[in-house]
Amino acid sequence: MAEQPGYTFREELSLNPIRPGTAVLVAGPRHDGSRELVLTMTADGTDEGMIVVTTNAGARRVVEDCERLGAQFDPEHAGIVDCVGEEPPDPFPARVLTVSSPRDLTGIGIRYSQLHGDLHAEGIDRVRSGVVSVSTLLSLGDLQQVSRFVHTLAGRITAVDGIDIFHIDPTIHDERTVNTLAQFCDGRIDVRDRGEGTELRARGLPDQSREWRSVDLPF
Amino acid sequence: MRGGDVLVVDPDDDDRRETTELLDDAGLDVQSASTIEEGLAHLDEVAVLVTAYGFPDGTGLELVRAARERTPDVACIVFAAETLAEMDTDHAEGEVVDYLSKETSGVEELLVDLVTHSVEERTQTAYPHPEDERERLAAVERYESVAETAGAALDRLAQLACATLDVSMASVGVVDEREQRILGCHGVAIDAVDREQSVCTYAILDDEVTVVEDLRDDPRFADNGLLDRSGLRFYASANLTTPDGFVVGTFCVYDGEPRSFSAADRDHLRSLAAEAMDQLELRRRLREGGDTDG
């Protein structure tokens, strides 16, 4: 079977294509641009599906932020699991399924799977998923439950050759927690801002630079 | 050892038969049941549970919760005809599942892909696996036949560890697909621990000696009911590593009080683990009647 091409990203991110079936942990404080990086990586596809699990911001805010980052939404290709519980306006450029609370990992997982199944039924086999943020899930649940959740989502996306991008803020968790969750992923991207703009580096991902470099995005 | 790959539980006879045949045609070893009670009776033998949602005697999510209490590692896929609105997830107490709607076009291919991947990769565990997990489990199997004969020798090493390291408990065990099995011990009386509950599950991911000075302070174990009930606070282990580099288990020491562990202590534990591994390796070679060099 011919290998599928990697998932590509805009030039400004300085990221080489990521192989299908890869789960990535993006680690960085929210105010350093890490959330925007996850949204950008998730929304950067052309003719690909995207699913965003949003734990703190409603679907409307996610769409606004992605559009500000230059992403185009359409309900045929985009789905959002909104854990804030806000009903979006009609019409809305993404299919939105709501959960009453980020604590409901069962509901989040089922709705994520529903959106993915819908994309598959429409013939969209390449899907990017972003979870913003695992930190919120950890603040409401225990590490074991959240670990199973991350493992299950990562497992689903690797089974179908998608990519999964999980956000975590390492500054608010014990290092052992972050390292445990990193082990469910194939690699990690660290994000920082030391006053001269957002920088990132990759670890554990093939063909990606391990050195810190600047990214040039309207974060 | 696992007896099968998949258990399909569905009260609808036609759906159950079609799902079973679909997965069987994909080369999987499939069992089936029509009720929650019957499903629970088969659960110990499978890697993946594919369950309908609505049952006369409950819901598929209740089955998942009961399944995870018995077999924490089982991967669960809800394969439902109901809409999202018809499923109650608010009372599922955070049970993580994968989900497919029976009404989705082309869902059969997706189900086969997900189940096959879950069987091969065990994708719903609450703990990470070593990267070489398949090879590692094959290595564990090679020592199964000699584990019992080494018991007395490993008990003695565990007793030596307690005296040398000034701890109250020690054990030598292997970590297999679903549990940690104790081969020799001193000061404890356990045979096996679910892998999800075992500290060694995380220790085998680390090449160095693992030390947890206070289990209650470690977020990986702070909510572990088994450790809490056991009163354990301190843990240290060194890996049992085969000559070809696979970590098959651990040599552990524990105590009921938090404590530190010096560099000299780590060296001692490392040596004890190497000695325990030598016991297993020599017995394996003798059993196989092969090369006795080295």
Side-chain angles (χ1 to χ4, degrees):
Chain A
M1 189 190 304
E3 196 170 294
Q4 279 201 44
Y7 285 81
T8 59
F9 306 95
R10 62 187 72 182
E11 198 177 324
E12 296 92 320
L13 292 187
S14 302
L15 285 172
N16 290 323
I18 290 180
R19 195 173 55 204
T22 300
V24 180
L25 186 71
V26 170
R30 288 176 61 91
H31 52 267
D32 281 3
S34 56
R35 174 180 176 273
E36 287 75 9
L37 177 65
V38 173
L39 291 178
T40 306
M41 291 176 70
T42 306
D44 250 5
T46 305
D47 296 327
E48 292 170 352
M50 62 172 281
I51 303 171
V52 175
V53 176
T54 175
T55 61
N56 299 80
R60 195 186 324 219
R61 168 80 186 276
V62 167
V63 169
E64 287 170 359
D65 287 345
C66 286
E67 288 178 341
R68 181 167 56 84
L69 294 163
Q72 301 264 331
F73 269 76
D74 79 79
E76 297 289 316
H77 287 81
I80 299 175
V81 180
D82 179 330
C83 304
V84 176
E86 294 175 356
E87 287 296 330
D90 185 16
F92 194 70
R95 182 155 187 236
V96 179
L97 297 178
T98 57
V99 181
S100 58
S101 161
R103 199 187 301 271
D104 182 5
L105 295 178
T106 311
I108 296 171
I110 286 178
R111 281 152 182 77
Y112 171 89
S113 299
Q114 174 73 59
L115 290 171
H116 183 266
D118 290 345
L119 290 172
H120 185 267
E122 288 155 20
I124 299 170
D125 290 329
R126 288 173 64 87
V127 177
R128 303 174 185 231
S129 302
V131 178
V132 187
S133 166
V134 172
S135 287
T136 306
L137 303 181
L138 285 167
S139 70
L140 297 171
D142 63 53
L143 176 56
Q144 207 171 58
Q145 278 184 319
V146 176
S147 292
R148 197 192 305 282
F149 177 81
V150 169
H151 199 184
T152 301
L153 251 66
R156 173 148 184 155
I157 215 68
T158 56
V160 297
D161 288 334
I163 60 168
D164 238 336
I165 304 145
F166 297 94
H167 173 267
I168 193 167
D169 181 347
T171 64
I172 63 173
H173 303 292
D174 186 290
E175 186 183 348
R176 291 166 291 195
T177 296
V178 179
N179 289 341
T180 297
L181 291 171
Q183 286 173 322
F184 294 109
C185 299
D186 301 290
R188 173 170 169 163
I189 295 175
D190 295 314
V191 181
R192 71 183 185 188
D193 184 340
R194 297 207 168 168
E196 294 181 358
T198 300
E199 298 176 305
L200 63 85
R201 70 171 178 186
R203 289 193 271 169
L205 294 170
D207 305 322
Q208 305 290 348
S209 172
R210 294 175 60 89
E211 303 301 316
W212 286 103
R213 66 267 193 198
S214 295
V215 295
D216 184 20
L217 279 171
F219 289 164
Chain B
M1 286 292 293
R2 189 156 41 79
D5 293 328
V6 192
L7 174 63
V8 174
V9 188
D10 197 320
D12 185 287
D13 292 340
D14 290 335
D15 284 358
R16 186 174 67 254
R17 180 178 41 78
E18 284 176 19
T19 303
T20 302
E21 286 176 359
L22 176 71
L23 297 172
D24 189 63
D25 288 345
L28 295 162
D29 181 1
V30 189
Q31 300 178 61
S32 65
S34 59
T35 66
I36 289 178
E37 186 180 351
E38 192 186 347
L40 287 172
H42 285 92
L43 207 51
D44 287 343
E45 303 162 3
V46 296
V48 181
L49 167 67
V50 176
T51 176
Y53 177 77
F55 287 85
D57 54 343
T59 72
L61 291 176
E62 291 167 10
L63 171 58
V64 166
R65 184 161 64 246
R68 288 243 166 86
E69 283 174 9
R70 293 192 187 192
T71 313
D73 287 0
V74 65
C76 300
I77 300 174
V78 174
F79 187 36
E82 291 83 350
T83 63
L84 290 183
E86 291 169 332
M87 289 193 288
D88 174 14
T89 65
D90 287 344
H91 297 98
E93 298 182 16
E95 282 300 342
V96 176
V97 297
D98 211 329
Y99 162 78
L100 288 171
S101 168
K102 290 180 181 177
E103 308 305 313
T104 300
S105 168
V107 72
E108 294 80 9
E109 179 192 353
L110 195 48
L111 178 66
V112 169
D113 284 346
L114 284 180
V115 171
T116 305
H117 191 72
S118 295
V119 168
E120 291 173 358
E121 304 296 333
R122 296 175 61 241
T123 55
Q124 290 189 21
T125 62
Y127 52 84
H129 304 139
E131 283 185 16
D132 61 353
E133 178 69 352
R134 272 189 233 177
E135 296 85 351
R136 192 192 73 79
L137 289 175
V140 170
E141 246 187 274
R142 292 201 293 272
Y143 295 90
E144 292 280 356
S145 61
V146 299
E148 211 171 302
T149 66
L154 297 178
D155 283 344
R156 287 191 294 272
L157 286 174
Q159 185 176 17
L160 185 59
C162 289
T164 308
L165 298 169
D166 192 26
V167 291
S168 55
M169 294 164 274
S171 68
V172 184
V174 292
V175 178
D176 72 16
E177 189 177 27
R178 290 201 168 170
E179 61 183 9
Q180 176 195 1
R181 286 183 295 106
I182 305 303
L183 307 182
C185 57
H186 182 79
V188 295
I190 48 171
D191 293 323
V193 178
D194 281 335
R195 197 165 164 182
E196 185 167 294
Q197 300 291 312
S198 169
V199 183
C200 300
T201 293
Y202 295 83
I204 63 172
L205 299 166
D206 193 352
D207 292 335
E208 301 298 321
V209 171
T210 297
V211 177
V212 183
E213 293 186 354
D214 190 349
L215 291 161
R216 285 191 195 164
D217 278 349
D218 192 315
R220 296 169 295 178
F221 314 118
D223 294 319
N224 186 316
L226 179 66
L227 291 175
D228 208 40
R229 288 189 298 276
S230 68
L232 297 179
R233 297 292 293 274
F234 167 78
Y235 169 99
S237 73
N239 290 336
L240 302 180
T241 307
T242 66
D244 49 357
F246 297 109
V247 177
V248 294
T250 55
F251 195 127
C252 313
V253 293
Y254 330 77
D255 218 307
E257 295 292 331
R259 57 167 283 180
S260 58
F261 209 57
S262 68
D265 290 337
R266 291 169 197 250
D267 283 342
H268 287 318
L269 187 55
R270 209 178 278 120
S271 296
L272 287 163
E275 188 59 38
M277 190 66 234
D278 279 349
Q279 284 288 332
L280 292 172
E281 177 64 15
L282 286 168
R283 290 161 195 273
R284 184 190 68 80
R285 290 185 187 181
L286 283 171
R287 175 67 63 92
E288 292 179 5
D291 174 25
T292 55
D293 289 342

